[in-house]
């Protein structure tokens, strides 16, 4: 079995990109260790402040953000970082070639119940003479050089794409390194499993309500087959399930808060997950367009997300 560094060396990824990936994933190993200490390290619970998006920050949101930020700042290949937990982008090295956007801890409502969380990252190539600005980050997801996540679950896993398919790695905690455990990940076109937060049902559009009603009706309804439902409440866990055994995941538009067109963030969640899902043969759309084609208007922009099994995403969009 090959280690992550062996896989990266054998790939045709530029050395600077390999450095960024090594730095990011090494920090994730440190985050994983901090998570494992849990209450023993006094790191559970709320931090006592809100992020720029008005969400309550957990201590571990702040800790993992600070760890990633400081490690990436000292990686010469990094030009700037953007984070769900930072108001503005943070310029790093003017001569750096890569921009990294990340959700340092996805699924933070799971922290206090010892359930799955993860780190999601999205990497763009971008060289310039001047310090980076927010405008440099506003590129469509099709331009991502790499995307991935680290899932802190019963085992710690890295799922990565540099644009040539998707690979899965498992952390060997004794050797402190990721080892490739699945060389090529694919998502079946059809599925009988869906993921959505059903408590938002009354806020969805009429067409989304119609689609989900038909899934729930199963064999007795228009779809003529039964569906199972799962919701991890951490996108990283729900997308991981889809990459492992298929399915469709939705966080659609809802009318709960008219200022938010969706819950999930384009740059830190939707784009990197869309790249992984497409690279595995699935689809990732909003209700109107392919996620990777969206021209971002701001780093903290939110979008509706419908992703997973290609035929099922098409079916959903047909409503
Ligand atoms: P974050 O913890 O980074 O704010 O993201 C949480 C997101 C996403 O991971 C998950 O799919 C969704 O919020 C869960 O939403 P509900 O609370 O509506 O279940
Ligand atoms: Mn998140
Ligand atoms: Mn987060």
């Amino acid at each position: 079995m090959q280690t992550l560094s062996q896989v990266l060396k054998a790939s045709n990824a530029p050395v600077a990109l390999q450095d960024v990936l090594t730095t990011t994933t090494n920090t994730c190993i440190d985050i994983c260790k901090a998570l494992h200490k849990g209450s023993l390290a006094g790191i559970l619970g709320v931090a006592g402040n809100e992020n720029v998006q008005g969400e309550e920050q957990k201590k571990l949101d702040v800790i993992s953000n600070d760890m990633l930020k400081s490690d990436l700042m000292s990686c010469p290949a990094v030009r700037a970082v953007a984070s769900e937990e930072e108001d503005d982008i943070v310029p790093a090295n003017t001569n750096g070639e890569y921009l990294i956007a990340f959700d340092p801890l996805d699924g933070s409502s799971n922290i206090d119940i010892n359930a799955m969380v993860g780190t999601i990252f999205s990497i763009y190539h971008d060289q310039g003479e001047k310090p980076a600005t927010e405008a440099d980050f506003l590129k469509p997801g099709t331009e991502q050089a790499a995307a991935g996540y680290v899932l802190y679950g019963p085992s710690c896993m890295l799922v990565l794409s540099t644009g040539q398919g998707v690979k899965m790695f498992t952390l060997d905690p004794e050797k402190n390194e990721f080892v490739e455990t699945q060389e090529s990940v694919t998502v079946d076109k059809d599925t009988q499993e869906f993921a959505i937060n059903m408590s938002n049902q009354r806020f969805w559009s009429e067409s989304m309500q119609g689609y989900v009603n038909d899934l729930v009706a199963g064999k007795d309804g228009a779809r003529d087959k039964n569906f199972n439902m799962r919701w991890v409440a951490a996108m990283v866990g729900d997308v991981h399930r889809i990459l492992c055994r298929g399915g469709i995941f939705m966080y659609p538009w809802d009318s709960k808060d008219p200022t938010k067109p969706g819950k999930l963030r384009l740059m830190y969640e939707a784009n990197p997950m869309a790249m992984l899902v497409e690279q595995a043969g699935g689809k990732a759309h909003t209700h109107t367009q392919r996620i990777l084609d969206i021209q971002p208007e701001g780093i903290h922009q939110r979008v509706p997300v419908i992703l997973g099994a290609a035929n099922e995403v098409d079916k959903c969009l047909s409503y």
Side-chain angles (χ1 to χ4, degrees):
M1 284 197 283
Q2 289 196 297
T3 64
L4 173 64
S5 56
Q6 287 168 331
V7 171
L8 288 175
K9 266 191 204 117
S11 75
N12 50 13
V15 173
L17 177 59
Q18 295 184 32
D19 289 346
V20 177
L21 287 168
T22 304
T23 304
T24 306
T25 54
N26 280 342
T27 308
C28 289
I29 296 176
D30 293 339
I31 294 173
C32 181
K33 286 183 187 154
L35 282 164
H36 276 161
K37 283 193 192 151
S39 290
L40 297 175
I43 53 174
L44 303 191
V46 296
N49 30 306
E50 284 187 350
N51 66 14
V52 62
Q53 309 171 60
E55 294 162 336
E56 179 184 71
Q57 283 179 314
K58 301 278 174 130
K59 283 185 197 165
L60 271 165
D61 286 322
V62 177
I63 293 169
S64 37
N65 181 60
D66 290 348
M67 286 165 77
L68 276 165
K69 191 172 66 170
S70 90
D71 288 354
L72 286 166
M73 301 296 274
S74 45
C75 172
V78 174
R79 184 155 176 245
V81 302
S83 163
E84 183 184 281
E85 305 300 344
E86 296 282 334
D87 297 8
D88 303 305
I89 70 136
V90 187
N93 307 294
T94 309
N95 296 325
E97 287 175 53
Y98 287 95
L99 304 175
I100 298 105
F102 54 82
D103 178 353
L105 208 67
D106 177 61
S108 35
S109 73
N110 278 355
I111 291 172
D112 296 333
I113 58 162
N114 198 18
M116 270 197 263
V117 290
T119 296
I120 312 173
F121 56 89
S122 161
I123 303 177
Y124 289 86
H125 186 254
D126 186 276
Q127 235 167 343
E129 254 88 82
K130 295 190 221 119
T133 64
E134 173 164 341
D136 295 320
F137 275 86
L138 304 182
K139 306 182 200 301
T142 45
E143 289 182 34
Q144 289 170 104
Y149 62 80
V150 174
L151 175 70
Y152 311 112
S155 55
C156 178
M157 292 191 71
L158 162 69
V159 179
L160 177 68
S161 179
T162 54
Q164 285 151 326
V166 178
K167 292 181 184 301
M168 286 190 185
F169 301 82
T170 303
L171 178 67
D172 180 337
E174 266 123 52
K175 298 203 175 105
N176 234 5
E177 60 187 359
F178 283 106
V179 177
E180 188 185 83
T181 42
Q182 195 174 338
E183 200 189 334
S184 174
V185 176
T186 51
V187 175
D188 284 352
K189 295 206 168 355
D190 295 298
T191 183
Q192 287 182 242
E193 193 161 69
F194 70 99
I196 195 163
N197 183 341
M198 291 291 290
S199 69
N200 293 326
Q201 190 168 25
R202 68 188 189 281
F203 301 108
W204 301 333
S205 67
E206 233 173 85
S207 45
M208 184 51 75
Q209 300 207 23
Y211 169 69
V212 176
N213 283 344
D214 284 350
L215 297 182
V216 174
K219 261 213 158 297
D220 300 334
R223 297 299 303 277
D224 195 29
K225 61 174 183 178
N226 292 328
F227 283 82
N228 184 32
M229 202 281 277
R230 285 287 183 270
W231 187 248
V232 176
M235 187 191 199
V236 73
D238 284 303
V239 169
H240 189 69
R241 186 186 56 255
I242 288 174
L243 293 173
C244 290
R245 68 170 193 214
I248 182 168
F249 166 90
M250 295 160 281
Y251 215 114
W253 174 90
D254 65 47
S255 61
K256 248 207 246 169
D257 179 347
T259 63
K260 293 178 186 164
K263 181 176 182 186
L264 300 176
R265 272 84 16 156
L266 175 62
M267 310 277 309
Y268 319 115
E269 295 166 323
N271 265 339
M273 293 311 204
M275 177 170 178
L276 292 171
V277 167
E278 283 201 8
Q279 285 287 324
K283 283 196 173 183
H285 275 243
T286 69
H287 52 307
T288 56
Q289 70 177 127
R290 181 184 176 216
I291 286 171
L292 294 181
D293 285 335
I294 299 172
Q295 172 57 53
E297 284 160 12
I299 50 169
H300 299 302
Q301 183 175 344
R302 294 173 194 259
V303 291
V305 173
I306 301 162
L307 61 75
N311 291 344
E312 199 53 44
V313 171
D314 286 343
K315 190 77 184 171
C316 176
L317 296 174
S318 76
Y319 281 66

